[in-house]
Every structure is written in structure tokens, then in C-alpha cells.
């Protein structure tokens, strides 16, 4: 608890909220106050209302076809210990379950093949050649890679969800 507090954890604020996105959602929206998300038609997946205050960032760990989360600064505090989104989601969801909350409601796309490390490096190299990515070529998909993917998707008229999958790599290969 002390470690999290030292890294920006705000007691009383959620780490995030799983949400349902409305039909025709504008995926270019990334960060805004919870009130803005509510005005855009975003609703908690479990029902009820979004938190009344604070800001949140849209996080789509499996792209537009998977579950959607609005994550707060508390999620970032979890990532201060280990920057992996898989780690942070695991800790956040475990904590949620331990305090009586439910699990993930959204379905993960079962037909999507994840990129292997070599393909993730190729993706980063191709994004770098296009001037969209200036991070380390390490085969790890973090926020910088997701943002570069999002910019590429926007430039190609694709759904800008930032999800690095086989379809994005194929589009990069054929650009």
C-alpha cells in the first residue's frame, strides 16, 4: 500500500472501470474526464454510472473487439512496479475480485492470433521506418507502440484501437 501511495495511488478512486462502448464509438478519443466519457455514451459494463470525478484513459487490451476499460492514475501506480499491462490488469482484477467485485464481462476475441516476438519487433521496425515510432525495438507492446499503431491505423482508415495484431502487421507489409 505504501509503495502504491508513493507512486500516485489515490485512495477512493478506482483503478479503472470495465465499460461498454456505444455503437459507432469514436476510437480517436483516448483521455478525458469521466463526465466526458458518459456524455460520449460510454457506460459501465456492470451497469450503474461512471465515477463522478477524475479522468480516465481508454484501454483496449484486445482491440476494439475485446473488453474495454477506462483506467485511471491508480492503474498507472500499479504499473510503476511492473510496466506490463498484463501484470497491471492481473493485479487490478485480482484486487477487484478480493473486494467483492466481478470479473471481466467482455468477451476476448478467440480467433485473433497474437503476434510473436519476432513479428512484434518487425511491427516496431516498420512503424519506425514510417516515422510513427521512436521507441526501443524490443518486441514489447507498450503505450508507445500502441500509440504508433493507432496513428498508422488512422492514416489507413482502419479502426484506431491501437491493437497490434496480424491484420496491422499485414497492412504495414503491404503499405
Amino acid at each position: 500500500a505504501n509503495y502504491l501511495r508513493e507512486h500516485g495511488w489515490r485512495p477512493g478512486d478506482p483503478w479503472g472501470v470495465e465499460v461498454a462502448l456505444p455503437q459507432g464509438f469514436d476510437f480517436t478519443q483516448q483521455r478525458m474526464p469521466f463526465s466526458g466519457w458518459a456524455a460520449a455514451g460510454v457506460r459501465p459494463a456492470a451497469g450503474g454510472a461512471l465515477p463522478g470525478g477524475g479522468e480516465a484513459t481508454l484501454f483496449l487490451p484486445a482491440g476494439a473487439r475485446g473488453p474495454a476499460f477506462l483506467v485511471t492514475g491508480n492503474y498507472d501506480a500499479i504499473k510503476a512496479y511492473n510496466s506490463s499491462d498484463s501484470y497491471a490488469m492481473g493485479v487490478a482484477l485480482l484486487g477487484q475480485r478480493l473486494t467483492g467485485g466481478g470479473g471481466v464481462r467482455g468477451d476476448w476475441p478467440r480467433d485473433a492470433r497474437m503476434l510473436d516476438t519476432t513479428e512484434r519487433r518487425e511491427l516496431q521496425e516498420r512503424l519506425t521506418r514510417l516515422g510513427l515510432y521512436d521507441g526501443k525495438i524490443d518486441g514489447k507492446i507498450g503505450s508507445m507502440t500502441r500509440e504508433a499503431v493507432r496513428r498508422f491505423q488512422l492514416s489507413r482508415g482502419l479502426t484506431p484501437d491501437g491493437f497490434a495484431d496480424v491484420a496491422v502487421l499485414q497492412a504495414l507489409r503491404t503499405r
Side-chain angles (χ1 to χ4, degrees):
N2 285 332
Y3 182 87
L4 290 173
R5 197 172 307 119
E6 288 173 9
H7 286 87
W9 185 272
R10 293 178 49 160
D13 286 355
W15 66 268
V17 178
E18 185 179 2
V19 294
L21 304 176
Q23 270 306 17
F25 179 76
D26 176 5
F27 285 93
T28 62
Q29 301 176 88
Q30 290 300 304
R31 183 169 181 77
M32 67 174 95
F34 276 111
S35 59
W37 290 114
V42 176
R43 301 287 177 256
L50 291 173
E55 288 193 341
T57 301
L58 181 64
F59 178 53
L60 304 165
R65 297 186 314 136
F69 299 88
L70 294 178
V71 296
T72 69
N74 284 349
Y75 181 77
D76 295 331
I78 295 169
K79 288 182 68 172
Y81 180 75
N82 180 330
S83 65
S84 163
D85 283 305
S86 296
Y87 168 83
M89 287 294 294
V91 169
L93 291 169
L94 177 61
Q96 182 174 297
R97 294 301 300 263
L98 289 172
T99 59
V104 176
R105 292 175 173 265
D107 290 329
W108 291 78
R110 299 189 192 286
D111 61 340
R113 182 180 70 77
M114 301 303 293
L115 300 177
D116 63 30
T117 303
T118 301
E119 291 169 320
R120 291 191 307 263
R121 283 189 185 115
E122 178 187 351
L123 176 113
Q124 290 171 325
E125 289 167 353
R126 288 179 180 277
L127 290 167
T128 298
R129 279 187 242 136
L130 292 174
L132 298 172
Y133 178 72
D134 64 356
K136 184 176 177 183
I137 308 296
D138 59 6
K140 297 178 183 176
I141 305 297
S143 57
M144 287 178 63
T145 303
R146 280 194 304 277
E147 183 54 35
V149 168
R150 190 179 343 277
R151 286 193 300 269
F152 173 73
Q153 290 167 323
L154 275 169
S155 75
R156 295 292 297 265
L158 305 170
T159 301
D161 61 8
F163 187 53
D165 63 1
V166 175
V168 168
L169 182 56
Q170 284 301 103
L172 280 162
R173 287 172 175 163
T174 61
R175 66 150 195 90

